[in-house]
Amino acid sequence: MMNLGEWMNEILIGWGIGPKFADRFDETIIALLMIALSVGLDYLCQAIFVGGMKHYTKRSPHKWNTLLMKRKVIHHLIHILPGILVYYLLPLAFVRGKGMLDFSQKVCVVYIITAILLTINGMLLVMLDVYNSRDTPKNRPVKGFVQVLQVLLFFIGSIVIVAVLMNKSPMTLFAGLGASAAVLMLVFKDSILGFVAGVQLSANDMVRIGDWIALPNNVANGIVTEITLNTVKIQNWDKTISTVPPYSLVNNSFQNWRGMQESGGRRVKKNIYLDMTTLKFCTPEMLDNIRKEIPLMADYQPIEGEIPTNSQLYRIYIERYLCSLPVVNQNMDLILSQLEPTTYGVPIQVYFFLRNKVWKDYERIQSDIFDHLLVMVQRFDLKLYQYSD
């Protein structure tokens, strides 16, 4: 039974075209017709399946179908059909050209493999999007792991494509790569280090998306916005973006403020420097005046036999004042200590925690508190140390 190529060949010879030229010409025409048929089939399938999916997504926008359209998973999957069709129809075109048939079928296989790789890659991105839409990504960011899978996917796919073009077994090429492992490690050094560092960062819960971290030497100080295979992206407080490799966070020290953000308060630690020459013992008259003028000290009574100093009374007042403020977390440390005297006077260290951890409110509240404490110094016959020439 005469096939399509022989039938067209006889027609061309009947038209007066030479047999050699007719052989080439009829195969080319049939190949072009097959390609046109495959392209038409591709457009038809795209219109039916992709168009139908778009219409369904508009009517019923669910998470999965929306992401499948966004990442073009169905679009890439449909591309496999024309490749398979052309592959099986090519023998009808190249009846006599064995070499041309083999080359054309290799091109089809490469096309099919590429479409499969893009489809799998799209599915990985869909799964990443679904994962990122949940609350867990902040605790366990997986973008770096997905990027590792993408690298492996396209690396293995490239090896298979090369094996197809060279008529070799993929396992043979993989075995040959063992000899060039050192070169591969050099090429993928950053990716390998980033992957290992990402595993350590995630396993030890060292940093999450949304954490406020500060790196030494002011390299970065802000919120972690993204963790990938090769970079950790940090938005600094001045709205600039810093990117650092993940392994730098593992190899070097950095400060993570998550503990403060998750705790009941944000620490305030400041010193008030008193003029050493103004420290003195309190007289009974002085104690009576303090009780009358300062309500928080109205019930103060010194220990029997003790003569308090004005600095001691000031520290007691600071403690009572802080305990009276709702903005101060009373369940956390509140410590007042007199440090070693310096050339700048006697430092009184005030250490407590504010309930409000928002940066703007935190600065305003602590400033208001210390404004009050600094003004109250003179009510205890004390003076702040102030350097003068």
Side-chain angles (χ1 to χ4, degrees), residues 273-341:
Y273 289 86
L274 302 178
D275 189 332
M276 195 181 306
T277 61
T278 62
L279 270 67
K280 60 185 177 182
F281 288 106
C282 293
T283 63
E285 294 78 12
M286 185 177 175
L287 283 173
D288 289 339
N289 289 335
I290 289 175
R291 292 191 190 100
K292 291 177 182 178
E293 295 177 4
I294 304 174
L296 287 176
M297 300 295 291
D299 61 346
Y300 171 75
Q301 292 292 335
I303 300 174
E304 186 177 353
E306 179 188 33
I307 302 177
T309 65
N310 54 352
S311 174
Q312 180 182 349
L313 290 181
Y314 181 56
R315 292 197 303 273
I316 293 172
Y317 171 77
I318 294 175
E319 183 173 2
R320 291 188 175 189
Y321 175 70
L322 293 177
C323 289
S324 70
L325 297 177
V327 294
V328 177
N329 192 328
Q330 309 300 331
N331 297 320
M332 302 183 75
D333 292 335
L334 195 163
I335 302 172
L336 296 167
S337 55
Q338 180 174 296
L339 305 181
E340 183 178 354

Side-chain angles (χ1 to χ4, degrees), residues 12 17-26:
L12 292 173
I17 299 174
K20 185 176 181 181
F21 182 77
D23 290 343
R24 296 289 179 86
F25 189 75
D26 67 347

Side-chain angles (χ1 to χ4, degrees), residues 191-207:
S191 298
I192 295 172
L193 289 175
F195 173 69
V196 174
V199 172
Q200 290 179 293
L201 290 174
S202 180
N204 298 319
D205 200 18
M206 296 170 64
V207 65

Side-chain angles (χ1 to χ4, degrees), residues 9 25 32 110 168 207 213 248 259 262 267 269 342 363:
N9 187 264
F25 189 75
L32 292 174
V110 170
K168 299 284 187 179
V207 65
I213 66 173
S248 69
E262 294 178 348
R267 188 192 71 176
K269 180 183 177 184
T342 69
E363 294 293 351

Side-chain angles (χ1 to χ4, degrees), residues 96-374:
R96 291 168 294 276
K98 181 65 175 176
M100 194 64 183
L101 175 62
D102 291 342
F103 175 77
S104 300
Q105 288 186 322
K106 287 179 182 178
V107 172
C108 285
V109 172
V110 170
Y111 175 84
I112 294 170
I113 293 173
T114 303
I116 293 173
L117 291 176
L118 293 175
T119 302
I120 298 174
N121 180 65
M123 287 300 301
L124 289 175
L125 294 175
V126 167
M127 289 187 287
L128 177 63
D129 291 336
V130 172
Y131 184 81
N132 286 338
S133 64
R134 299 160 58 192
D135 295 331
T136 49
K138 292 184 178 180
N139 301 337
R140 291 289 185 271
V142 298
K143 187 171 183 178
F145 300 107
V146 172
Q147 288 179 322
V148 171
L149 293 177
Q150 287 177 305
V151 171
L152 291 175
L153 172 68
F154 287 105
F155 178 73
I156 294 173
S158 300
I159 295 297
V160 173
I161 288 174
V162 172
V164 169
L165 295 176
M166 296 178 62
N167 281 331
K168 299 284 187 179
S169 169
M171 299 308 299
T172 303
L173 295 181
F174 279 117
L177 289 175
S180 57
V183 177
L184 290 174
M185 291 183 67
L186 182 63
V187 172
F188 295 106
K189 181 189 72 172
D190 290 338
S191 298
I192 295 172
L193 289 175
F195 173 69
V196 174
V199 172
Q200 290 179 293
L201 290 174
S202 180
N204 298 319
D205 200 18
M206 296 170 64
V207 65
R208 304 174 187 169
I209 295 174
D211 282 357
W212 170 13
I213 66 173
L215 276 63
N217 301 323
N218 293 322
V219 174
N221 187 352
I223 302 298
V224 177
T225 58
E226 188 177 36
I227 301 175
T228 66
L229 179 61
N230 294 318
T231 60
V232 174
K233 190 177 293 184
I234 305 164
Q235 184 177 45
N236 300 305
W237 297 118
D238 59 0
K239 301 306 179 183
T240 58
I241 302 294
S242 296
T243 55
V244 296
Y247 53 82
S248 69
L249 299 180
V250 176
N251 296 335
N252 303 309
S253 62
F254 68 96
Q255 188 176 24
N256 192 328
W257 290 81
R258 187 201 313 155
M260 178 275 293
Q261 294 172 322
E262 294 178 348
S263 69
R266 183 171 176 181
R267 188 192 71 176
V268 177
K269 180 183 177 184
K270 284 189 175 182
N271 294 342
I272 298 175
Y273 289 86
L274 302 178
D275 189 332
M276 195 181 306
T277 61
T278 62
L279 270 67
K280 60 185 177 182
F281 288 106
C282 293
T283 63
E285 294 78 12
M286 185 177 175
L287 283 173
D288 289 339
N289 289 335
I290 289 175
R291 292 191 190 100
K292 291 177 182 178
E293 295 177 4
I294 304 174
L296 287 176
M297 300 295 291
D299 61 346
Y300 171 75
Q301 292 292 335
I303 300 174
E304 186 177 353
E306 179 188 33
I307 302 177
T309 65
N310 54 352
S311 174
Q312 180 182 349
L313 290 181
Y314 181 56
R315 292 197 303 273
I316 293 172
Y317 171 77
I318 294 175
E319 183 173 2
R320 291 188 175 189
Y321 175 70
L322 293 177
C323 289
S324 70
L325 297 177
V327 294
V328 177
N329 192 328
Q330 309 300 331
N331 297 320
M332 302 183 75
D333 292 335
L334 195 163
I335 302 172
L336 296 167
S337 55
Q338 180 174 296
L339 305 181
E340 183 178 354
T342 69
T343 55
Y344 299 101
V346 180
I348 304 297
Q349 187 178 84
V350 184
Y351 186 103
F352 62 96
F353 288 83
L354 290 179
R355 295 183 185 278
N356 195 323
K357 295 169 282 186
V358 179
W359 191 6
K360 179 180 178 181
D361 297 335
Y362 164 83
E363 294 293 351
R364 176 183 56 79
I365 294 170
Q366 71 154 330
S367 298
D368 291 344
I369 290 174
F370 277 90
D371 278 347
H372 176 84
L373 296 180
L374 292 174

Side-chain angles (χ1 to χ4, degrees), residues 26-97:
D26 67 347
E27 290 181 347
T28 303
I29 293 296
I30 294 174
L32 292 174
L33 289 174
M34 290 179 180
I35 293 174
L37 177 63
S38 300
V39 172
L41 177 64
D42 181 61
Y43 275 105
L44 179 62
C45 292
Q46 294 286 342
I48 295 174
F49 294 102
V50 178
M53 194 66 178
K54 285 182 179 179
H55 182 68
Y56 174 72
T57 302
K58 288 181 180 179
R59 291 180 55 189
S60 304
H62 301 294
K63 182 183 296 183
W64 275 100
N65 57 12
T66 302
L67 292 176
L68 287 173
M69 295 306 300
K70 176 185 175 182
R71 297 302 184 180
K72 297 184 177 181
V73 175
I74 300 176
H75 178 82
H76 294 308
L77 186 63
I78 296 301
H79 283 316
I80 299 175
L81 296 178
I84 295 175
L85 178 64
V86 172
Y87 180 85
Y88 285 105
L89 291 179
L90 280 173
L92 298 177
F94 300 106
V95 178
R96 291 168 294 276

